[in-house]
Amino acid sequence: MILCVILASFLMFADQRMSWMEDVRAQVSTVVAPVQWVVSLPARGLSLASLALSDQTRLVNENRQLRERLLTLSQRVQRMASLAEDNTRLRELLKAAPRQEIPWITAGLLTLDNNPFLQQMIIDRGQQSGVYSGQPVVDSAGLVGQVISVSRYSSRVLLITDASHSVPVQINRNGLRFIARGAGQSNRLTLDNVPNNTDIREGDLLVTSGLTGRFPEGYPVARVSRIVRNAGTPFATVEVLPIAQLDRSRNFLLLFTHDSLKPRSHRLSQEAVDAALQVARPGRKEDRQ
């Protein structure tokens, strides 16, 4: 027992003080990756069984809703080419730099971290797919988080709701910029240092500002859910709800924002990604003003 305590203490010290532990952790993650895949099999099996036993009426209703949504998306896609050309002409008039294409790859959820004090997950893409530390991760609705460690076949992702995570955002309605910080809960974030007289409203959409260069500009992050203006202090308390479906999503996109790490395939324009995310989670009327 004493030997185990000494060994554990040494490993914790080495993890904090010695850089070579990162290589050890990566190798261990590579060895554990098949185990993680096997552990995820029961959840996948239950998901398939649930799908097979679904009520036929519900499936018919879902099919009808999907057909209606397909018609809506088709109408929007028909206008997208024209809008893209209009946007290009306007940027040329303003002599603004054109938006760059953002390559991406898909990834699937392997497992969630079972530590209640961490908001992290493991996905099934790693060094073999070109994944790198700091890479942005999104789902069909908005920003999910960023990669913090990479092994050969899997990667660990820090969610935007983790207490140690923060992301620069701006209000989509008026462009005011803030820092959105995780609150350590899967359904809540907070905004730092928001003055009481700031033009911010409940329901405002927050998107990435792109200021740090890590997260591309314009991806949905959260929506303002509660504002408390404190008379005794200069700053208001602002709570926001993440737009990404952090407790339900199983499929994600990894965005390649570093030129030297971009893959040769799976290129997708910024306009197309933004439009797809907006279609997946339509904004309020004031968000588009």
Side-chain angles (χ1 to χ4, degrees), residues 102-270:
I102 298 182
W104 54 272
I105 58 174
T106 59
L109 175 67
L110 276 180
T111 181
L112 293 171
D113 198 304
N114 57 6
N115 188 328
F117 300 104
L118 297 177
Q119 298 288 318
Q120 299 180 9
M121 67 179 181
I122 297 176
I123 56 176
D124 60 359
R125 293 282 192 169
Q127 293 172 346
Q128 267 203 336
S129 302
V131 179
Y132 58 91
S133 181
Q135 186 168 13
V137 182
V138 302
D139 67 0
S140 62
L143 184 67
V144 170
Q146 61 178 300
V147 176
I148 57 172
S149 65
V150 184
S151 63
R152 188 169 180 80
Y153 301 109
S154 63
S155 301
R156 182 174 290 270
V157 176
L158 183 69
L159 303 183
I160 59 174
T161 51
D162 190 272
S164 64
H165 190 277
S166 59
V167 55
V169 298
Q170 64 186 20
I171 300 177
N172 196 51
R173 176 173 54 85
N174 55 23
L176 290 177
R177 295 187 292 269
F178 304 98
I179 299 295
R181 191 179 305 279
Q185 302 174 13
S186 61
N187 61 349
R188 189 167 68 89
L189 296 93
T190 59
L191 292 187
D192 290 344
N193 303 324
V194 180
N196 278 324
N197 59 352
T198 298
D199 180 16
I200 186 171
R201 310 170 188 169
E202 292 185 4
D204 274 344
L205 176 66
L206 304 177
V207 299
T208 51
S209 64
L211 290 183
T212 63
R214 172 159 296 184
F215 301 103
E217 180 184 358
Y219 282 84
V221 177
R223 195 175 291 277
V224 178
S225 60
R226 181 170 174 262
I227 303 174
V228 179
R229 304 187 188 275
N230 305 308
T233 62
F235 300 110
T237 301
V238 181
E239 296 182 359
V240 297
L241 300 177
I243 287 183
Q245 302 175 12
L246 302 179
D247 56 346
R248 286 174 287 175
S249 292
R250 299 187 66 88
N251 298 288
F252 308 94
L253 294 181
L254 300 175
L255 307 180
F256 288 83
T257 57
H258 292 182
D259 291 337
S260 61
L261 298 171
K262 290 179 179 179
R264 296 180 179 178
S265 60
H266 298 295
R267 291 186 175 271
L268 188 66
S269 68
Q270 175 74 41

Side-chain angles (χ1 to χ4, degrees), residues 27-154:
Q27 295 298 328
V28 172
S29 297
T30 301
V31 174
V32 173
V35 178
Q36 293 172 334
W37 181 81
V38 172
V39 171
S40 68
L41 286 180
R44 296 185 181 185
L46 289 175
S47 178
L48 292 175
S50 176
L51 180 63
L53 298 175
S54 295
D55 181 73
Q56 184 176 3
T57 302
R58 183 174 64 82
L59 292 178
V60 170
N61 291 334
E62 288 183 356
N63 187 53
R64 176 180 55 79
Q65 294 172 0
L66 289 174
R67 287 181 179 276
E68 293 175 355
R69 188 174 182 182
L70 178 61
L71 290 175
T72 302
L73 295 179
S74 298
Q75 184 270 338
R76 295 188 182 186
V77 168
Q78 291 172 15
R79 296 190 58 205
M80 190 177 298
S82 175
L83 293 175
E85 290 297 327
D86 290 343
N87 185 58
T88 301
R89 286 192 292 269
L90 290 173
R91 283 181 171 271
E92 290 176 352
L93 288 174
L94 296 173
K95 299 186 182 300
R99 286 180 178 264
Q100 305 239 343
E101 292 185 345
I102 298 182
W104 54 272
I105 58 174
T106 59
L109 175 67
L110 276 180
T111 181
L112 293 171
D113 198 304
N114 57 6
N115 188 328
F117 300 104
L118 297 177
Q119 298 288 318
Q120 299 180 9
M121 67 179 181
I122 297 176
I123 56 176
D124 60 359
R125 293 282 192 169
Q127 293 172 346
Q128 267 203 336
S129 302
V131 179
Y132 58 91
S133 181
Q135 186 168 13
V137 182
V138 302
D139 67 0
S140 62
L143 184 67
V144 170
Q146 61 178 300
V147 176
I148 57 172
S149 65
V150 184
S151 63
R152 188 169 180 80
Y153 301 109
S154 63

